[in-house]
Amino acid sequence: MSIKKWVSLGSVYLILVILAYSLITGNNPFQSGELDHNHETSEVQKEEETMEHRQHNHHHDHQVESELNTNVTYNDGRVFIKLEADNGNPPKLAKEHEKEMHFIIVSNDLEAYYHLHPDKEQQGSYVVNQELSDGTYQAFVDITPENKAYQVVPKPVQIGTNETDKASLESEDKWTKEIDGKTVTLEDVNAAVEEKVPLVFDTHGEKPDPHLGALGHVVIVDEEVEQYIHVHPASEDTTTFNAHFSKPGKYKIWAEFKFGDNVNVYPFILEVKE
């Protein structure tokens, strides 16, 4: 059979396939713009999924088995953090919001709060200067190891012999806080487990300055000092943070906003319902 006849048969077959598709679906797959629209929609969905992941990848609720061990010690005004992967080697860390490590340490009663960024002495070994009073603390090593599963869990740090009791949080009745003349209001929150909980902060017309690649940072810990959540703004130009809670109870929120050269930390207490 000649090449011309093969081409003709191929064209007829292609037309029959298109006609069959049109009869079954009622659509013309080659209608102008349809394929481009589907492609565009797919790209938008991918971007939304990526943004959703970025907002929630710091939400830690003990559901992932870590492939990384962390050790936190304190000596004479310095905190030391050691990291070791399950293969015995120090892990390589990806930067998140300009830092390889966000180190959160809070006292057991949730009165003291520090958000620190330790320096790397060598691979797997970090240190930061911070004077801490005697008492019991919980440390959260917030990192993103490359190619390793990791779960942030509280690491107890005891300084001196006096142990600090866990907090018994009371419901918040003051939703507007002022620090150094800068006022922030947390708008009404209806928080329930396993739902997206928008935390909307009103900065009263004064836009915060960028801080560590965002307009703010929000760290949340429950009164048992077990649940740890670290979220960033829902977009680049907003002070709304979407949090997820896996357990009911009372939580303390520390909202960090930078105004000028100062990073102010605004504390709030939130109750999460079933």
Side-chain angles (χ1 to χ4, degrees), residues 125-146:
S125 179
Y126 293 77
V127 63
V128 63
N129 294 327
Q130 181 61 59
E131 289 283 352
L132 297 172
S133 301
D134 286 1
T136 312
Y137 297 80
Q138 301 295 330
F140 300 91
V141 182
D142 196 336
I143 53 177
T144 304
E146 294 186 357

Side-chain angles (χ1 to χ4, degrees), residues 62-77:
H62 312 315
Q63 293 179 350
V64 176
E65 184 175 349
S66 291
E67 299 175 316
L68 194 70
N69 293 318
T70 59
N71 183 54
V72 180
T73 56
Y74 176 86
N75 184 37
D76 195 22

Side-chain angles (χ1 to χ4, degrees), residues 93-121:
L93 304 182
K95 282 190 175 181
E96 288 287 343
H97 285 268
E98 302 180 1
K99 300 293 181 179
E100 283 191 357
M101 180 181 294
H102 296 265
F103 181 75
I104 309 297
I105 187 165
V106 299
S107 57
N108 257 23
D109 58 9
L110 301 180
E111 290 297 324
Y113 167 85
Y114 304 93
H115 181 168
L116 307 172
H117 302 102
D119 296 317
K120 180 164 66 175
E121 292 187 312

Side-chain angles (χ1 to χ4, degrees), residues 98-273:
E98 302 180 1
K99 300 293 181 179
E100 283 191 357
M101 180 181 294
H102 296 265
F103 181 75
I104 309 297
I105 187 165
V106 299
S107 57
N108 257 23
D109 58 9
L110 301 180
E111 290 297 324
Y113 167 85
Y114 304 93
H115 181 168
L116 307 172
H117 302 102
D119 296 317
K120 180 164 66 175
E121 292 187 312
Q122 60 187 20
Q123 197 72 16
S125 179
Y126 293 77
V127 63
V128 63
N129 294 327
Q130 181 61 59
E131 289 283 352
L132 297 172
S133 301
D134 286 1
T136 312
Y137 297 80
Q138 301 295 330
F140 300 91
V141 182
D142 196 336
I143 53 177
T144 304
E146 294 186 357
N147 304 316
K148 288 290 181 181
Y150 177 67
Q151 175 68 54
V152 177
V153 295
K155 292 290 182 175
V157 179
Q158 179 65 43
I159 302 173
T161 57
N162 295 327
E163 295 187 2
T164 307
D165 293 333
K166 297 286 182 69
S168 180
L169 298 177
E170 297 183 1
S171 297
E172 185 73 72
D173 59 2
K174 185 180 179 183
W175 297 100
T176 297
K177 306 290 176 72
E178 181 180 338
I179 299 176
D180 295 333
K182 306 299 182 183
T183 303
V184 169
T185 298
L186 175 58
E187 297 185 1
D188 290 342
V189 182
N190 184 17
V193 295
E194 304 300 347
E195 294 183 4
K196 182 170 72 173
V197 179
L199 303 175
V200 182
F201 295 91
D202 181 2
T203 56
H204 296 268
E206 187 162 359
K207 186 177 180 180
D209 295 309
H211 173 50
L212 297 172
L215 285 188
H217 294 257
V218 168
V219 173
I220 308 170
V221 176
D222 70 322
E223 64 182 350
E224 294 298 321
V225 205
E226 294 176 350
Q227 300 293 309
Y228 168 81
I229 303 167
H230 182 180
V231 288
H232 302 114
S235 68
E236 294 181 356
D237 57 355
T238 184
T239 52
T240 295
F241 301 73
N242 294 324
H244 285 73
F245 299 88
S246 61
K247 293 183 178 180
K250 291 178 182 175
Y251 292 76
K252 188 160 185 177
I253 298 171
W254 292 273
E256 303 177 14
F257 296 106
K258 183 179 180 183
F259 298 100
D261 294 330
N262 298 323
V263 177
N264 294 345
V265 181
Y266 299 86
F268 300 91
I269 295 172
L270 177 67
E271 185 169 2
V272 178
K273 307 288 188 180

